[in-house]
Amino acid sequence: MDDKQRRDLMTGVRDIAPILLGVIPFAMVSGITAVGAGIPKHIAMLMSLSMFAGASQLAANQLIGAGAAWFVIIYTALVINARFVVYSASVAPYLQSLSSPAKWLYAYLLTDQGYALSVLRFRRGDNLDPHLYYLGISVTIWLTWQVFSAAGIYLGSNIPEHWGLDFAVPLCFLAVLVQALEDRESIVAGATAGCIAVFALPLPLNTNLILGVMTGIGAGLLSEHLRHRREGRF
Amino acid sequence: METPHLIAAILAMAAGTLVLRLSFIYLFSEEMPEILDRALRFVPAAALAALVAPAVLRPDDGPIDVSLGNERLLAAVFAGLVAHYTKSFLFTVLSGMTAFWLLRLVF
């Protein structure tokens, strides 16, 4: 690796550094709640390494702790991670030159933060090598996630229950949710999903989650359609 | 859940998540259908709201509680404002937990 390549890699590491302040508590909460849900420590670590997707891990921890059915746990996690399809489609044109193993690695390392930062660079197409920049960002996030998940799993599990640390889970979701409410249509989607999920909570098999997500997406699409019609685009 | 079942569920989630991430990078080369693209853009808002709202509005899966006695609701509203203005994950979680602890001391 020559100097220029090292510099491109390090630019990614430097750009992601401030965002790690958010990754650290997220990883620790995910580790602590995994153990709190009754998952054996090494298996909680396996979960963190194999999934590497915070929001879905937190949701899975919550469902596992509540004794949900296995298929509910799996589909809830996958619904939350369906957003990766959007990221995947959006970065795919810039990754076509990579070898197959590199594509697998880049896909495994795909995160919200890594996507948001690197897609800007990919589109700009300046003198920076976007692949190395992406690696610099993603490997840094990966290492931070794994180290602090391990800290939460192996060191944080003796936190007394009366601290109410379970409330940190919805707060983690809330922090990401507020950033996702970027326009009127996504607010409609979120509000609908939230209301349905609240009222449908007594339904069996945690049906309220999937019902909330589906009606939320439908409401978002509908409000987008209505806005386009108002603007005379259809 | 027994440990072997738990491991199987975790590996299924991991494999499924990898397939979602690989989808357009590796598996299909076409453009994404427009309607799918638009629908998927609402997933983060809808999924996260569906997770947050019951945890905040129905503490311990009980009845809906929108009173001032619901510390989780008050703390979440405060944390939501912090999230909106600071855009910081760390400050959001810290301010929400601090508000939650203080409110529980007061009430």
Side-chain angles (χ1 to χ4, degrees), chain A residues 185-197 208-223, chain B residues 38-39 41-43 45-47 49-50:
Chain A
E185 285 76 33
S186 54
I187 293 172
V188 170
T192 310
C195 287
I196 299 290
N208 71 317
L209 288 178
I210 193 74
L211 205 60
V213 176
M214 292 306 163
T215 50
I217 291 172
L221 286 172
L222 182 66
S223 78
Chain B
R38 294 215 315 260
R41 279 183 202 285
F42 292 118
V43 166

Side-chain angles (χ1 to χ4, degrees), chain A residues 30-41 43-48 50-51 54-77 80 169 173 205-206 209, chain B residues 1-14 51 61:
Chain A
S30 91
I32 293 166
T33 53
V35 178
I39 302 173
K41 290 182 180 177
I43 295 175
M45 201 60 226
L46 168 76
M47 185 179 187
S48 178
S50 63
M51 291 177 69
S56 64
Q57 286 177 234
L58 274 192
N61 291 343
Q62 222 170 19
L63 290 169
I64 291 167
W70 59 271
F71 58 89
V72 174
I73 299 169
I74 295 170
Y75 81 58
T76 304
I80 292 170
V169 174
F173 290 139
L205 293 171
N206 306 79
L209 288 178
Chain B
M1 200 185 291
E2 285 167 54
T3 304
H5 295 159
L6 191 58
I7 294 176
I10 287 170
L11 293 181
M13 288 189 284
L51 287 161
D61 293 355

Side-chain angles (χ1 to χ4, degrees), chain A residues 10-29:
Chain A
M10 288 315 290
T11 306
V13 175
R14 207 179 49 231
D15 284 2
I16 199 68
I19 294 166
L20 297 180
L21 276 182
V23 175
I24 290 169
F26 203 168
M28 291 195 67
V29 171

Side-chain angles (χ1 to χ4, degrees), chain A residues 59-146:
Chain A
N61 291 343
Q62 222 170 19
L63 290 169
I64 291 167
W70 59 271
F71 58 89
V72 174
I73 299 169
I74 295 170
Y75 81 58
T76 304
L78 296 183
V79 165
I80 292 170
N81 289 341
R83 69 191 189 284
F84 287 131
V85 175
V86 177
Y87 303 164
S88 186
S90 154
V91 298
Y94 306 98
L95 302 181
Q96 289 315 311
S97 61
L98 293 173
S99 66
S100 287
K103 283 182 181 171
W104 281 76
L105 175 69
Y106 277 49
Y108 165 71
L109 290 174
L110 195 57
T111 57
D112 300 292
Q113 302 92 332
Y115 164 73
L117 272 179
S118 55
V119 77
L120 296 172
R121 287 283 187 180
F122 287 166
R123 286 192 187 137
R124 209 189 304 161
D126 51 16
N127 190 28
L128 196 77
D129 180 340
H131 299 156
L132 287 171
Y133 180 74
Y134 177 88
L135 266 191
I137 289 173
S138 305
V139 171
T140 309
I141 296 178
W142 186 86
L143 274 176
T144 310
W145 181 263
Q146 302 307 345

Side-chain angles (χ1 to χ4, degrees), chain A residues 183-186 220-234, chain B residues 38 42:
Chain A
D183 51 28
R184 192 174 304 166
E185 285 76 33
S186 54
L221 286 172
L222 182 66
S223 78
E224 194 177 56
H225 177 72
L226 292 174
R227 182 170 58 89
H228 286 172
R229 242 197 7 200
R230 264 199 318 277
E231 292 171 356
R233 278 207 246 163
F234 279 80
Chain B
R38 294 215 315 260
F42 292 118

